[in-house]
Every structure is written in structure tokens, then in C-alpha cells.
Amino acid sequence: MAHTDSTHSVEDNHGSLKSYTIGFLCSIVLTIIPIAIILGGWLEGTSKAVALMMFGVLQFIVQLYFFMHLREEKKPRYNLISLVLGLVILVVIVAGSMWIMLYNMVAL
Amino acid sequence: MKSSSLKNVQKHHSDRHHSHPDMEEMRTFGFWIYLMTDIMIFGTFFATYIVLHNNTNGGPGPADLFELSGVIVSTFILLTSSYTCGLAVLALNKGKKQALIGWLAVTALLGAVFIGLEINEFAHMVHEGATMSRSAFLSAFYTLVGTHGLHVTVGLVWMIALMVQLSVKGITPVTKRKVNIISLFWHFLDVVWIFVFTVVYLMGVK
């Protein structure tokens, strides 16, 4: 299994024109949809916020996968591990701030 | 036995020789760690903005200030520059120096247009009286968007310096690593902008 893994990573070690173009087209589509949601007024309130953030996260994954080559990393996946650490801290800071400052009305 | 130990020494030697690109790999990883700390900086600025974006102190709010059409253009410019930066890395891997410098130049040009549009937007807002000290919302806005713009500006200067270095030294393990690093930086800034665009602009206009 490790062997097939390594041949796979040699094949598209640094990406190809095809993978970059697919990534670019995906990112264009993932940008147009949220713009359409806003300009068309399709969604309101919380569902709008959730949908927009979802498209942002998908865009992030596309960039990591097609442009930053995170999937091609070799076994001790230090890049991925440090990314997870960064994202955990990000979520704690952002979600924690929102929870305390926006929804904890006792503080007011 | 002797020959095998000699082989071992030779093997060791060639490993040593190969440890040079490893060093460059370590440096690339070091840069990755820096990007992760940048996530935390932008995270705190996003948190500040989200918490304060309704505190307009009677001044203009997000819906009054933002013009979506201009920001949509900026977004597509930055997305395209992320793609051309990827094409530069492809040219690098094929060893095509001229194509590499050319795509980096296109990327830098698109980045410069992006910064120009942003400065124009800020100047327009300041002209309307929406300065950084007007309200907590505007302080948070300028800090968040301005920090991203500053990153892009630094990236531009760096990219120009790298183009000069490439044209003088050509593609070496060191310049190769530098191109890889700046492409990581550029894609990262693209991701940050997507969230700025989503959280600040798309959610800002009602």
C-alpha cells in the first residue's frame, strides 16, 4: 500500500497544468455561487451566513489541495499537523470571541 | 568487508550530498510554520471585526460603505493571480526560466492592480469621512483589510526581488525553494482574502 502511495506521489509530485486549471475553475465557481446568493437575495439570516462560510471553507480546501499540494506530503505529515494546530487555535479565538461577546447577554 | 564499509562511507557521503535539498525542505517547512502563526493573527483580527462590526457609533456602517462591484473585481483579480502563481511553479518544475519569470511578473502585476483598487477604496472611504478613528467598526475594518493589503504589498516587493535574483542566478536549489515559498505565501493570501470577502463584504451588504 505504501508502495502504490509513493508511485502516485511521484506521478504528480508538483501538480500539473490540469490540476491547477481544475483548481482555478473550482475556485471561480465557489466564488460566483456566494456572490449570486447575495445579489439574488436567495437566503436570509443564519442560513445565509452558514452557506457563505461553507463556500469559504470549500474554497480553502480547493486551494490547499490543488495549489498548496497538501495531499502530496510524505508520511510524517508535519504540514498537516501544524495546520490542524493553527486551525484549532483559529476556531477557539473566533468562536470563543463570538460566543462571549455576542451571545452572552449576561455581560451587558 | 573492507569494500562494504567503503560502500557504506560512500553511501553516507552521497546521503550528505542529498541532505542539501533536505535543508531547503526544512526551510520551506519553517515558512509553513510562519504561515500557521499568520492564521492566528488573522484569526484575532477576524474575531475583533465580527465582534465590533455593529459598533458604528452613529457613523457609516458596512451596508452604507461597501460597493460590492469593485470588491468582486478585486476578488477575481486575486484568484487569477493565484492561478498564474501556480503556472509559475509549473514553469519552475520544467526548468523554464523565462516562463517562470514571465508568470511571476503577471502575478505581481495582478497583485499590484489589487493593491491599487484597495488603496482607491480606502481613499474613497476616508474622503467620505469613514476614517479609522471614526468608530470601532472602522478601526477593526481597516486593521483586518489593511493587514491583508500589507501582506500583499510585502509579497509584491519580495516577488520583484526574486525575479531579479532568478534572472541573475537562474534556477538553483535555493531560488527554487524561494519560488515555492512565495507561491505558498501567495495562495495563503488568496485564502485569507476569500474569508475577508465573505465575512466583511458579502455579509456586510444587506
Side-chain angles (χ1 to χ4, degrees):
Chain A
M1 200 166 120
H3 185 72
T4 52
D5 249 358
S6 73
T7 49
H8 184 74
S9 74
V10 167
E11 248 173 37
D12 42 13
N13 196 10
H14 300 284
S16 60
L17 184 62
K18 197 176 137 202
S19 75
Y20 275 110
T21 308
I22 291 171
F24 182 51
L25 292 177
C26 283
S27 65
I28 293 280
V29 170
L30 289 174
T31 310
I32 287 176
I33 295 172
I35 291 171
I37 288 174
I38 291 299
L39 294 182
W42 294 347
L43 293 171
E44 283 302 320
T46 314
S47 59
K48 183 181 82 172
V50 170
L52 291 180
M53 282 315 288
M54 203 186 71
F55 282 107
V57 170
L58 283 176
Q59 176 92 272
F60 181 37
I61 294 168
V62 164
Q63 295 270 335
L64 280 174
Y65 192 85
F66 289 102
F67 291 175
M68 291 162 105
H69 311 298
L70 197 65
R71 86 193 138 140
E72 291 153 21
E73 198 189 353
K74 284 175 218 117
K75 247 314 141 83
R77 291 175 152 269
Y78 294 124
N79 285 25
L80 184 66
I81 293 165
S82 53
L83 175 68
V84 169
L85 171 68
L87 291 179
V88 165
I89 293 174
L90 176 87
V91 169
V92 168
I93 292 171
V94 175
S97 301
M98 286 172 71
W99 183 43
I100 290 176
M101 300 302 292
L102 300 177
Y103 301 110
N104 179 13
M105 289 307 181
V106 179
L108 289 181
Chain B
M1 190 142 168
K2 206 174 180 188
S3 81
S4 86
S5 76
L6 193 69
K7 241 182 203 169
N8 253 346
V9 167
Q10 273 177 338
K11 188 171 174 285
H12 200 74
H13 246 245
S14 70
D15 276 352
R16 270 267 173 87
H17 208 71
H18 275 275
S19 76
H20 198 70
D22 265 356
M23 198 60 216
E24 300 302 331
E25 230 165 73
M26 287 296 288
R27 287 176 176 137
T28 308
F29 180 61
F31 189 77
W32 181 267
I33 298 286
Y34 155 73
L35 286 183
M36 297 309 108
T37 64
D38 239 18
I39 286 184
M40 297 170 201
I41 283 199
F42 280 109
T44 52
F45 289 159
F46 270 109
T48 310
Y49 180 82
I50 292 168
V51 166
L52 293 175
H53 78 282
N54 285 323
N55 299 26
T56 54
N57 191 25
D64 310 315
L65 284 172
F66 301 150
E67 282 168 38
L68 210 49
S69 55
V71 186
I72 291 173
V73 172
S74 305
T75 303
F76 282 108
I77 287 173
L78 208 61
L79 277 179
T80 310
S81 82
S82 199
Y83 179 56
T84 57
C85 192
L87 295 180
V89 173
L90 278 183
L92 169 78
N93 290 331
K94 285 178 183 158
K96 292 178 181 166
K97 187 176 126 184
Q98 289 308 318
L100 166 59
I101 294 173
W103 283 121
L104 281 180
V106 172
T107 309
L109 195 70
L110 290 169
V113 173
F114 174 85
I115 285 297
L117 287 172
E118 185 158 283
I119 290 171
N120 194 37
E121 187 205 5
F122 281 9
H124 190 74
M125 283 173 64
V126 168
H127 189 73
E128 285 182 352
T131 58
M132 194 171 183
S133 53
R134 179 66 188 82
S135 65
F137 151 64
L138 284 165
S139 302
F141 169 80
Y142 281 114
T143 307
L144 172 58
V145 183
T147 305
H148 177 268
L150 194 66
H151 275 76
V152 176
T153 312
V154 169
L156 280 181
V157 174
W158 183 9
M159 214 175 267
I160 291 164
L162 188 55
M163 284 189 282
V164 172
Q165 198 173 32
L166 277 168
S167 60
V168 174
K169 292 186 178 172
I171 297 172
T172 66
V174 173
T175 54
K176 191 172 174 173
R177 182 254 306 167
K178 287 180 177 175
V179 173
N180 278 321
I181 280 180
I182 202 166
S183 88
L184 282 180
F185 188 59
W186 206 256
H187 298 316
F188 173 77
L189 291 181
D190 192 37
V191 170
V192 173
W193 178 256
I194 289 300
F195 283 98
V196 171
F197 177 62
T198 306
V199 172
V200 176
Y201 292 100
L202 286 182
M203 292 186 185
V205 293
K206 296 270 157 71

